[in-house]
Amino acid sequence: MAPGVPGIPVKLDSPRELNHKPSKEGLVKFSKPRRYNDIEKFDQFERFDKIDNSPEKSEKVEFLREFSNKYGYNGKIDTIIDHEYPHLKNTTYLDHTGATIYPKSAVDSFADDLRNHCFGNPHSKNSSSQLSTERVNRVRARVLNYFNADPNDYQVIFTQNATAAIKMVGEVFPWTYGKSSFRYMRENHNSIVGLRRFAEENNSPDVKVVTEKDLESMFNAYSEHRNVNLPPETNNSTVYGLFAYPAQCNFSGRKFPLSWVKKIKSFDTDYSKILILLDAAAYVSCSPLSLADKDDSPDFVALSFYKMFGFPTGLGALIVKNELSSILKKRYFGGGTLRAVAFDRSWQMFRRDLSERFEDGTINFLNIIALEHSFNAMEKIYGNLFYVREHLTSLSTFLYRKLSSLRHLNGSPLCVLYSNNDYSDSSLQGPIFNFNVKRADGSWIGYREVEAAANERGINLRVGAFCNPGGLAKWLKFTPDQVMAGFLEGKVCDDDIDIFKGRIVGSVRVSLGAMTTIDDVLKLLAFLREYIDNTTSAPPLQHKSSRVMSKHLSQKVEMSITHPNMMVEKMTYTRDLHPKQLE
């Protein structure tokens, strides 16, 4: 296994090397974080006190006194930022769940690779084609190795993104018409929720969303009813069901137990089996995932590489168990997936390997080759995800404490946080902060206002519902009926209406990444403190942007609604609009 892969130690630099200048490539090697002693801490903070007189100085010292043994990769974080992320200058980037930021060395290394080699379409035998094939196969092995997955047990199918990987599961799944079940966690991304369309098309009698509290009863139901209602002609064949859940919720950052896989599979029989799809897109950007134990690991794992490394974009993967090869359905076929085909009749023979069978057309071979450079850069810069996780846990714990303590003068909280964890346990909570901001009188400050004001200060965060309707329902208490009624009255996803009929309809999300610094966190906190009302008589603070966004106009709208029975009904309603929507 390559150095820097999770679980494999990297050579530790000597303490004397900590202040050395980085190599020309700007890459920093390290492994186990060195524990500073008290004298070193004292000297470090004394130097900091002398050179930094900013208002945030005391909080930075407070943070470093507690977390310097976990934060910053042996004190190299500033060097890493200077040499690897010059494009972050004047930007406080806090949307790493959306996409993390690519390091300069990965882009430079890939550019050099393209300048020095000729890569051709892999579907050929010429030298440039063979070079591409060789490099692509090398990256496939690298992906499996990274997740401790034995190539005898798993294969990698490259896709456009994590959504395409999830969609592929629905397309290839061995649905049994009228019998296969589909269940999914409430806090799933829309990409998982969309799989219910495949179940509905196959007349599934059991399409259901579940919560954590539902799981135990769901397991019991599987145990009690797994052989029920199978007609005689199917008693000797297996009916497959699908259960899908996220390893980490992209709304709240809650991590769900990977041990659920083993528990669900314990109820399998010869006639009824549940296959598990794990959406790992948000999880693996900051947490190691091992598929070493095949029997207790998911059957499908969906990945997004720009969420892991920032580069390349337009590339994801579905990791699939080889043992499923005989039951997965191949429907559409394109170039490169066939061994033989007749053009004038329904006869074709597919390739045997899962990757060759399901990667229709020419794969994105240059982006796959670029992926190897991102793996190399990540391992050289950060070592492995165990150290990234320590770094992020220190920042998250500190940020949680500070956000929770922000108060107006009257004692009311500034932020309403959507999490049940304190962020100190990385096995339960990822570095995602979802919250809304309130005025001293308890009224909401719209998340679009917060976003606009943050942009003015160079802070990049994300607002909305984050394609997670279950998260919205759980934390903001929206029912499906309210969502549907809101749509009929003009409330749609990604519009500029953040407060609808007096209710906040989304939130602010801040997510941290491997290259996030304590200075980024302090800048966010300084920005949020601008909303604190420190007087007893002053009107609620409004940023420049809020004065525009708080003005609503009304408009009568005529709308045609198509009901499920295909009847069309025209209705007229009045909706609140912002000035932007009338431009």
Side-chain angles (χ1 to χ4, degrees):
M1 297 178 72
V5 173
I8 303 299
V10 182
K11 182 181 178 183
L12 176 64
D13 290 345
S14 68
R16 186 173 295 180
E17 292 175 326
L18 290 175
N19 295 320
H20 278 195
K21 293 182 179 179
S23 62
K24 291 182 180 179
E25 293 78 17
L27 302 177
V28 184
K29 294 182 179 179
F30 77 100
S31 73
K32 186 177 179 181
R34 187 167 67 91
R35 306 305 182 187
Y36 296 91
N37 60 42
D38 291 339
I39 295 177
E40 288 176 311
K41 285 185 179 181
F42 179 80
D43 290 342
Q44 178 184 357
F45 299 132
E46 283 297 301
R47 291 194 301 272
F48 177 72
D49 287 343
K50 292 177 182 178
I51 63 174
D52 191 329
N53 295 314
S54 66
E56 291 79 27
K57 179 185 68 176
S58 60
E59 282 189 317
K60 188 169 183 178
V61 170
E62 173 192 347
F63 170 81
L64 291 173
R65 286 191 186 279
E66 181 175 358
F67 295 107
S68 60
N69 61 339
K70 295 182 178 180
Y71 167 78
Y73 315 104
N74 281 341
K76 297 180 180 178
I77 184 65
D78 292 336
T79 300
I80 289 172
I81 296 300
D82 289 344
H83 289 84
E84 290 289 352
Y85 302 98
H87 38 299
L88 282 178
K89 186 177 181 181
N90 301 322
T91 300
T92 301
Y93 187 85
L94 297 172
D95 187 25
H96 292 274
T97 299
T100 197
I101 299 299
Y102 48 87
K104 177 179 179 293
S105 60
V107 179
D108 291 344
S109 178
F110 178 50
D112 288 341
D113 202 0
L114 293 180
R115 282 191 288 264
N116 291 300
H117 298 93
C118 180
F119 297 106
N121 189 313
H123 294 162
S124 183
K125 297 294 184 182
N126 62 58
S127 59
S128 60
S129 173
Q130 290 299 291
L131 179 59
S132 294
T133 299
E134 176 189 342
R135 296 286 290 277
V136 167
N137 288 337
R138 196 163 81 186
V139 177
R140 287 190 202 278
R142 185 75 171 272
V143 173
L144 291 177
N145 187 46
Y146 187 79
F147 295 106
N148 299 317
D150 190 325
N152 293 315
D153 297 331
Y154 285 95
Q155 284 196 46
V156 175
I157 302 172
F158 286 114
T159 62
Q160 182 182 2
N161 45 40
T163 296
I166 293 166
K167 179 183 176 185
M168 180 177 287
V169 174
E171 293 171 337
V172 306
F173 191 81
W175 302 102
T176 298
Y177 189 84
K179 295 180 174 62
S180 290
S181 64
F182 174 52
R183 297 193 179 191
Y184 57 99
M185 283 293 297
R186 172 180 57 184
E187 287 90 340
N188 271 307
H189 190 277
N190 273 338
S191 300
I192 292 285
V193 180
L195 287 173
R196 70 189 184 197
R197 299 289 289 162
F198 293 102
E200 291 164 356
E201 287 177 0
N202 284 279
N203 196 30
S204 172
D206 186 13
V207 178
K208 191 173 296 183
V209 60
V210 298
T211 66
E212 292 180 73
K213 292 182 180 179
D214 296 330
L215 281 175
E216 286 302 324
S217 60
M218 184 187 77
F219 298 151
N220 294 334
Y222 282 147
S223 178
E224 295 169 6
H225 304 298
R226 57 196 174 203
N227 292 321
V228 174
N229 297 327
L230 289 179
E233 62 270 22
T234 63
N235 276 340
N236 58 357
S237 62
T238 302
V239 173
Y240 291 92
L242 179 63
F243 179 76
Y245 76 100
Q248 177 176 294
C249 174
N250 77 308
F251 189 97
S252 67
R254 167 77 165 96
K255 291 182 179 179
F256 296 106
L258 301 179
S259 59
W260 283 351
V261 175
K262 180 179 181 179
K263 190 164 186 180
I264 291 173
K265 287 186 171 295
S266 69
F267 297 114
D268 284 352
T269 71
D270 291 338
Y271 308 114
S272 175
K273 295 185 185 298
I274 303 298
L275 301 184
I276 311 296
L277 165 61
L278 184 72
D279 177 4
Y283 181 89
V284 295
S285 64
C286 55
S287 302
L289 173 67
S290 175
L291 304 176
D293 188 344
K294 177 182 72 78
D295 294 335
D296 294 340
S297 295
D299 300 283
F300 309 95
V301 179
L303 305 171
S304 171
F305 293 113
Y306 70 85
K307 291 184 184 294
M308 292 174 65
F309 306 123
F311 174 79
T313 59
L315 186 66
L318 182 67
I319 302 180
V320 187
K321 283 183 177 176
N322 285 327
E323 65 187 30
L324 303 179
S325 179
S326 63
I327 66 170
L328 298 182
K329 307 293 185 181
K330 177 68 176 174
R331 293 177 173 84
Y332 171 84
F333 60 87
T337 61
L338 298 166
R339 289 186 290 158
V341 60
F343 82 93
D344 63 345
R345 63 200 66 185
S346 184
W347 183 89
Q348 60 279 324
M349 299 300 293
F350 298 111
R351 292 184 181 271
R352 293 187 178 91
D353 284 349
L354 287 171
S355 58
E356 292 181 329
R357 196 189 317 163
F358 290 110
E359 289 174 352
D360 291 298
T362 301
I363 56 177
N364 196 341
F365 58 94
L366 289 183
N367 268 6
I368 295 172
I369 292 168
L371 179 58
E372 184 171 28
H373 296 274
S374 288
F375 270 114
N376 291 339
M378 187 280 291
E379 290 171 2
K380 290 178 180 178
I381 297 167
Y382 301 110
N384 62 54
L385 284 179
F386 289 96
Y387 310 130
V388 173
R389 186 172 60 184
E390 273 205 322
H391 172 79
L392 288 173
T393 301
S394 66
L395 288 172
S396 298
T397 304
F398 182 80
L399 179 55
Y400 171 77
R401 292 175 189 169
K402 294 300 179 180
L403 287 177
S404 302
S405 66
L406 294 178
R407 293 286 189 276
H408 294 287
L409 183 65
N410 64 5
S412 62
L414 176 70
C415 298
V416 178
L417 277 165
Y418 304 126
S419 174
N420 292 325
N421 300 312
D422 66 3
Y423 289 78
S424 62
D425 187 346
S426 61
S427 68
L428 301 176
Q429 182 67 45
I432 296 174
F433 294 81
N434 205 313
F435 60 92
N436 271 306
V437 184
K438 279 190 168 185
R439 297 184 178 88
D441 62 6
S443 62
W444 296 109
I445 299 175
Y447 53 82
R448 288 292 184 193
E449 172 190 333
V450 176
E451 179 186 45
N455 278 335
E456 292 175 0
R457 289 149 181 78
I459 300 174
N460 294 179
L461 41 76
R462 181 168 292 217
V463 303
F466 319 108
C467 299
N468 194 317
L472 186 73
K474 175 180 179 178
W475 294 106
L476 275 69
K477 310 302 181 186
F478 272 92
T479 66
D481 287 342
Q482 289 171 327
V483 173
M484 292 185 285
F487 171 77
L488 296 179
E489 297 182 48
K491 181 71 187 81
V492 298
C493 295
D494 202 33
D495 60 19
D496 286 337
I497 303 174
D498 47 18
I499 298 175
F500 185 72
K501 293 190 170 181
R503 294 190 60 176
I504 197 80
V505 292
S507 55
V508 178
R509 187 183 75 186
V510 165
S511 51
L512 314 184
M515 67 292 306
T516 302
T517 68
I518 181 58
D519 298 300
D520 295 328
V521 169
L522 294 176
K523 187 170 181 180
L524 171 70
L525 291 169
F527 160 66
L528 290 173
R529 286 186 177 110
E530 296 179 32
Y531 284 100
I532 292 177
D533 186 354
N534 288 313
T535 68
T536 56
S537 58
L541 183 150
Q542 285 189 328
H543 285 280
K544 189 167 51 178
S545 57
S546 70
R547 289 193 292 272
V548 175
M549 298 192 70
S550 62
K551 295 178 181 178
H552 287 74
L553 301 177
S554 62
Q555 181 185 55
K556 287 190 175 180
V557 180
E558 187 176 85
M559 184 176 184
S560 296
I561 305 297
T562 303
H563 294 284
N565 60 7
M566 302 308 293
M567 294 178 61
V568 177
E569 173 186 344
K570 286 190 176 180
M571 63 177 293
T572 302
Y573 64 90
T574 301
R575 63 173 177 175
D576 292 333
L577 297 175
H578 292 288
K580 271 188 177 180
Q581 294 173 285
L582 299 179
E583 292 177 358

